[in-house]
Amino acid sequence: MKLFIIAALAMMAAADRPQPTYAPAPTYRPRPAYTPAPAYKPQPSYAPAPAYKPQPSYAPAPSHGHSGYKPIAILEQEDVHPGDGTYSSHFNTENGIYRSESGVPLPGYGKNQYGQEEGSYKQEGSWSYTDGYGNPVKVTFVADENGYQPSSDVLPTPVPTEYPTPEVSYDNSYQQPQPAYGKY
């Protein structure tokens, strides 16, 4: 019985809706008859393009005492990455440049659950070359949880921090002459 009442209500609701009205079908204009393209008109002729003269050749730029760029050969190079996080690398060039570096991960090094690196690394190494005056320059370094720590004879040394500061004696016998203002 309930099913019959629900079906009757559904039919009444469907019958009560206004029916859509459709616009009349559009009428199309007939296609125009084929008209041929206009006859080909010859284009005016132009004078031939002028012949270009060859470009002048230029002398190479002056070298100002330099013989130009000469590649520097690498005499020795070795990179070792065993896969456990450690590495070592060094190279030596024909002009005396040398670099050596090795690194080892410290405990806790790796990636966290988000894929970001955690922990720290300890790196040690050195590099050397000959400066423009013929003096050898060598720098050794350690990089760890305390930061990058280079050491060399060519690096400036920090100012000593002695406390208390040493006493400085002054000679008060000399007095700087004062300018004479307003004297004629």
Side-chain angles (χ1 to χ4, degrees), residues 2 33 52 72 79 88 103 135 154 164:
K2 292 179 186 177
Y52 291 101
I72 307 299
D79 294 313
S88 66
N135 302 321
V154 297

Side-chain angles (χ1 to χ4, degrees), residues 92-98 128-130:
N92 190 11
T93 64
E94 71 178 339
N95 64 346
I97 297 174
Y98 176 78
S128 63
Y129 65 94
T130 303

